[in-house]
Amino acid sequence: MENTDVFLGLHDFLERMRQPSAADFVKSIKSFIVSFSNNAPDPERDSAAVQEFLANMEAAFRAHPLWAGCSEEELDSAGEGLEKYVMTKLFTRVFASLPDDVKCDEELYERMALVQQFIRPENLDITPTFQNETSWLLAQKELQKINMFKAPRDKLLCILSCCKVINNLLFNASIASNENPPGADEFLPVLIYVTIKANPPQLHSNLLCIQRYRSQSRLVAEAAYFFTNMLSAESFISNIDAKSLSMEESEFQNNMESALALLSGLSTDMDGLYNLNDQNAGPLPREQLIDSNHQALNSKKEKESVNQPKSSERKSGSKKVTYAKDQAPITKVPSLSEFENKGATMLLKEDKASQVFQEYPYLFANVGDLTINDVEDLLNNYKQLVFKYVCLSKGLGSTSPSLLSSNLHTPVVDHTETVKETEDQKIAGLKDEPDKDAGMDDGPKSVSVSEEDVESHLPQVEADTHQGGKNDGTSQ
């Protein structure tokens, strides 16, 4: 289902829930959210309860006069709207709700952070014909958005967008080289490589959220194929070793050691810089920050060159390294993408978010709304935006700043899709301040909800973003 259809489906669902004849539906939804939230987390039981509730409600929709004479598409949209609303309300109750899930997230993130320092496409037997690391950045960007959303369908969409970018790139490469169309043997290694390089936070919990709470009747066909490949990629990365990367054991262990030393050193250096910055109550000059990063990298490389054994010594002996258990956990250095995600999350929680965008009159404009007199203004705004973004990227130490590359090149995803998904989030959570379970907090949660907490949510939840959603639909 397209983004516009899902937005309209949620809007239509909420509108119908405001009708007096929908009082029983509203009562059932509130009752389910309250009873579900007050139970202790049990993934197997919780998944079955959500799947059963969604199926029963959709069956009730079909038999209710509110949907009399509706097409299958309209009924499907109502089901999508119900799933989005319910799962947004239950997000903090079901996402990373168990310590084991949190631990898996951390271990997977650390493993990918290490492996991405030395892995090359050749390690996964990706032939030169299909190697295109520059364009793979577009796929990485899509996958890194997965933690911005709460509803299972929205998270799944990030995976589908990533996979479609990869699939299209492989297909175009096969045409250019007159080779057979790529299959699973060509697709999965690239997906694994892209996932390692993207290293999306809480990947394990995000996949579990989709697997457990996405309506099973909709997790079929292309969506099921790409999602299964992502599960395979996660399994491969979790068990990655020297053999799976076509390396000698000693080489793999040395690479892991070097990556751990590099990341640990950078984390320590960055912490020192941040502490110094706090003490001085002022920002460090950009040149000083970059020079400090370079010095840290150079010092690590010098140590590695002194301590690294010769190639003959590597082959003669193997050495085990306990990079996950015996070493202190890696302190995460925020990336530019993570700053973007954090800002987007903060924006969604602000009551006056819509006022922020009033300063940008062209954000929701359609092509037909523009005149020739707008070109100069748009060009000046674009130049300022690029300059500020590149300066920010360099200031944060990003080696390859990219502003709107996904919009200019990707054959699958455009910017209005991301805006639309953001507006969908606001529909389900922006006005619901009393309901703290709609936040983006990580880790295990314990919540208790009463019917008073959700009593007024259904009638008013879409009020703030009605205009923004309308613009999204037309611009798409």
Side-chain angles (χ1 to χ4, degrees), residues 70-91:
C70 288
S71 64
E72 284 296 321
E73 289 77 9
E74 290 173 310
L75 288 167
D76 187 63
S77 294
E80 291 282 12
L82 173 67
E83 179 187 297
K84 189 179 184 77
Y85 180 84
V86 171
M87 294 315 302
T88 299
K89 290 298 176 188
L90 297 177
F91 177 76

Side-chain angles (χ1 to χ4, degrees), residues 225-299:
Y225 172 75
F226 285 140
F227 182 66
T228 301
N229 274 275
M230 181 55 71
L231 291 177
S232 299
E234 184 208 14
S235 177
F236 180 93
I237 296 169
S238 298
N239 299 287
I240 205 167
D241 56 17
K243 184 178 179 181
S244 59
L245 295 180
S246 304
M247 286 184 180
E248 294 290 335
E249 182 65 30
S250 58
E251 181 184 4
F252 177 77
Q253 297 295 343
N254 284 330
N255 284 334
M256 294 294 279
E257 280 185 313
S258 299
L260 178 62
L262 176 63
L263 292 180
S264 299
L266 285 177
S267 297
T268 303
D269 293 335
M270 292 299 291
D271 288 341
L273 289 173
Y274 293 146
N275 291 336
L276 179 61
N277 188 20
D278 293 338
Q279 292 173 5
N280 294 335
L284 286 173
R286 181 171 65 88
E287 293 80 1
Q288 183 178 347
L289 182 61
I290 295 175
D291 290 343
S292 300
N293 284 342
H294 288 171
Q295 291 173 7
L297 283 169
N298 291 335
S299 64

Side-chain angles (χ1 to χ4, degrees), residues 19-38:
Q19 302 299 319
S21 58
D24 289 341
F25 286 146
V26 174
K27 183 178 180 180
S28 297
I29 294 171
K30 290 193 297 184
S31 177
F32 177 76
I33 292 174
V34 170
S35 62
F36 188 99
S37 299
N38 289 332

